[in-house]
Amino acid sequence: MNCLHGKQGIVFSVILCFCLSFFSCGQKPLGKDNASPAFNGWKTGMAKAIITPADSIWMAGYAARTEPGKDTLHDLWAKVFVIEDANGKKGVLVATDLIGFKKEITCRIKKQLKEKYGFSEEQVILNSSHTHSGPVLEGLLTDIYPESIYEDDRIASYTRNLENRIIVLVGEALESMQPSKVYFGNGVSRFQVNRRNNVERNIDFLTHLQGPNDYAVPVIKVTDLSGNMCAVLFGYACHPTVLSGSSWSGDYVGFAQIELERIYPGVQAMFFQGASGDQNPLPRRSVPLARQYGLTLAASVERAVEENMIELKPDLKMAYSCVDLPFGELPTRESLEKTMKESNVDYYKQWAKRMLTVFEKEGSFISSYPYPVQVWKMGDLPIIALGGEVVIEYAINMKREYGQNAFVMGYCNDVMGYIPSEIIIKEGGYEGETSQMAYGLPAKWSEKIESMIYTEVDKLMNAVESME
């Protein structure tokens, strides 16, 4: 019997078509073309690519190495996360398994991102894990490596290819954007050790560890509108220096990301380095230890994302500036010549030789350095991104000022040297003084830099708070 006739048939047909339309729309992916025009929340996108060197180039981070990278323990990655708030403001976080970006590399990347996508300085954060099992990049720590490694163009070629790959990844992340929910919380992990206050060779005999630490594991979880996790961003303040061989790897950071992507298939796990300038994983020097620390960190992240996290309102505010940090007493020709003659440390001599060349050419040294400071406010979450190898006191003091939930990143945008506290500058040692030679800076910092950085961060925090 045909019941689809007359008025009743017409009504039934309309209802049927409406239902089919409703359910078929519900099955479409939550891509940018399918999002409701009235959607008033976060949108996020992400992309990643392997950046393990194809050529045998020198490895970054240790002056004692005598050979380039030989094989791969696990791949190195560049990962991109793009976030857009309800008002259409976007931010880009780039996380890499690298020793760090020098400002010249960052400037080229940010210039291309501005030209291609319109991103301004404050919209882009470039962070590196600081793994010591990644490749040498142009311009970073050049005085600690053999001068001969720069005789061919493999390092320059790798650096340019990396820059181009990051630009492509940002484009891929923008294309993948979808409506999202964003949450934050903190885990905890305790394998970091303050290396200035605890002698590594005695670590197995110590029953009490000394010195300031920050064991927080800051975590951001991203889900789609149905609650399915898409990405997890997490940080920790600890040098990735468990390993020192000739195998490419992200160290414990790489193992942590691998484990999280195993636990949560399809989820992009991204690590950002914290204020780890004086924090080491101890004990160290074996692959099983690197794996153990990675699994420990991943377990902390897993616990955080499965507990009640705080949802962030879709509001993104950003600010960026550079503050000129002064150096202390600059070297003289006589002091440099003395270092070249009397030092028994190879990179001290190499630094002194180069500084003499600079002095002969320029007649003087730079007296300050433009230091990058960046602040994001994601909903109620403050994110402070600082350049250089920031020591842990900065994170501790900024959390006192802006709340324990504040995320403090180091190694952002420009890794030009260590950023010690005032007390560490006075004490000296590697972080306070001699590391400046490893980074090719003319002298140690002035004791004023700590207060100058706090002042600049506070200025930016006030600026984002006042934004509508």
Side-chain angles (χ1 to χ4, degrees):
M1 180 176 67
N2 183 8
C3 59
L4 295 179
H5 66 278
K7 292 183 179 180
Q8 289 180 334
I10 293 172
V11 171
F12 183 87
S13 298
V14 170
I15 293 172
L16 178 63
C17 290
F18 172 79
C19 291
L20 290 172
S21 175
F22 176 83
F23 286 110
S24 64
C25 287
Q27 291 172 351
K28 290 182 180 179
L30 291 170
K32 61 180 182 180
D33 295 330
N34 301 306
S36 168
F39 179 72
N40 192 33
W42 293 109
K43 294 179 184 176
T44 64
M46 58 215 71
K48 64 180 181 178
I50 293 172
I51 56 170
T52 310
D55 297 322
S56 179
I57 63 176
W58 208 261
M59 300 184 80
Y62 292 115
R65 279 203 175 103
T66 59
E67 60 183 1
K70 285 187 172 180
D71 53 27
T72 301
L73 178 60
H74 56 243
D75 277 313
L76 307 174
W77 291 86
K79 299 180 180 181
V80 171
F81 174 71
V82 179
I83 188 165
E84 179 182 334
D85 73 3
N87 298 311
K89 287 183 290 186
K90 293 185 179 71
V92 179
L93 173 63
V94 179
T96 59
D97 293 320
L98 296 168
I99 192 74
F101 293 104
K102 199 69 170 62
K103 69 177 179 180
E104 290 79 7
I105 299 174
T106 294
C107 286
R108 289 193 294 266
I109 292 172
K110 288 196 173 185
K111 183 175 184 290
Q112 290 188 67
L113 291 178
K114 182 175 179 60
E115 292 173 352
K116 192 160 189 178
Y117 304 115
F119 290 124
S120 55
E121 192 99 63
E122 71 272 10
Q123 289 179 274
V124 181
I125 298 175
L126 298 172
N127 182 271
S128 297
S129 72
H130 199 59
T131 178
H132 283 38
S133 296
V136 167
L137 299 179
E138 274 189 323
L140 192 69
L141 292 166
T142 52
D143 286 328
I144 73 168
Y145 309 124
E147 293 177 289
S148 60
I149 71 171
Y150 296 100
E151 291 175 1
D152 62 44
D153 64 353
R154 282 180 290 182
I155 291 173
S157 177
Y158 178 86
T159 302
R160 294 298 177 275
N161 289 336
L162 171 72
E163 293 168 8
N164 293 333
R165 192 70 189 99
I166 288 172
I167 304 303
V168 171
L169 285 175
V170 172
E172 292 174 0
L174 286 167
E175 286 296 318
S176 74
M177 293 187 76
Q178 65 173 7
S180 307
K181 292 185 177 182
V182 183
Y183 305 83
F184 83 95
N186 274 286
V188 63
S189 194
R190 298 184 182 274
F191 60 83
Q192 61 165 227
V193 176
N194 193 299
R195 69 189 191 193
R196 289 181 62 86
N197 303 96
N198 302 277
V199 179
E200 181 174 354
R201 64 177 176 271
N202 298 333
I203 198 70
D204 290 337
F205 307 100
L206 297 179
T207 56
H208 294 86
L209 297 178
Q210 306 297 321
N213 301 89
D214 178 14
Y215 298 119
V217 179
V219 179
I220 292 175
K221 178 178 72 173
V222 182
T223 74
D224 62 22
L225 299 187
S226 298
N228 302 305
M229 191 158 68
C230 309
V232 59
L233 290 72
F234 65 104
Y236 193 52
C238 185
H239 261 69
T241 52
V242 183
L243 303 176
S244 57
S246 57
S247 298
W248 304 116
S249 83
D251 207 273
Y252 77 84
V253 170
F255 282 113
Q257 293 175 91
I258 291 168
E259 176 65 5
L260 286 166
E261 292 185 352
R262 183 195 68 79
I263 296 171
Y264 304 109
V267 168
Q268 179 163 303
M270 293 177 61
F271 176 87
F272 54 87
Q273 186 57 263
S276 67
D278 52 355
Q279 307 294 307
N280 270 9
L282 297 178
R284 55 181 180 163
R285 307 299 184 193
S286 76
V287 172
L289 273 171
R291 185 181 295 111
Q292 174 190 328
Y293 296 147
L295 296 179
T296 299
L297 185 56
S300 178
V301 176
E302 181 184 11
R303 190 268 292 176
V305 300
E306 294 185 4
E307 289 185 338
N308 292 325
M309 302 186 79
I310 300 171
E311 185 171 359
L312 292 170
K313 61 182 179 181
D315 182 36
L316 180 60
K317 299 172 182 176
M318 299 162 288
Y320 178 98
S321 68
C322 280
V323 55
D324 282 326
L325 298 184
F327 296 112
E329 184 179 353
L330 295 170
T332 63
R333 183 197 301 271
E334 292 73 23
S335 67
L336 292 170
E337 290 174 344
K338 182 178 180 180
T339 298
M340 286 188 64
K341 291 177 181 177
E342 299 180 5
S343 177
N344 58 2
V345 179
D346 288 342
Y347 76 81
Y348 289 12
K349 293 181 177 180
Q350 192 163 308
W351 167 82
K353 177 183 175 182
R354 192 174 59 79
M355 285 293 108
L356 281 170
T357 302
V358 170
F359 188 81
E360 293 293 336
K361 182 178 180 181
E362 305 293 337
S364 62
F365 300 109
I366 57 172
S367 59
S368 64
Y369 192 95
Y371 180 73
V373 179
Q374 193 166 0
V375 168
W376 283 9
K377 193 80 178 292
M378 291 174 56
D380 294 324
L381 174 64
I383 299 175
I384 301 160
L386 303 173
E389 297 203 49
V390 183
V391 298
I392 203 69
E393 285 93 340
Y394 284 87
I396 293 169
N397 290 330
M398 288 180 187
K399 287 184 176 186
R400 286 173 181 156
E401 182 68 23
Y402 306 114
Q404 289 301 306
N405 285 328
F407 287 14
V408 181
M409 300 180 181
Y411 303 82
C412 291
N413 299 313
D414 184 6
V415 181
M416 79 302 292
Y418 275 79
I419 305 299
S421 62
E422 181 179 349
I423 190 169
I424 289 178
I425 295 172
K426 290 177 179 176
E427 290 173 351
Y430 180 71
E431 296 85 358
E433 186 166 1
T434 58
S435 65
Q436 303 300 79
M437 288 184 276
Y439 274 98
L441 297 175
K444 72 176 187 179
W445 297 108
S446 163
E447 294 171 9
K448 300 176 182 177
I449 69 164
E450 183 175 11
S451 62
M452 293 176 69
I453 292 171
Y454 292 147
T455 298
E456 196 68 19
V457 170
D458 201 53
K459 183 176 77 174
L460 296 187
M461 289 294 291
N462 290 332
V464 297
E465 290 290 352
S466 65
M467 293 177 183
E468 296 184 357

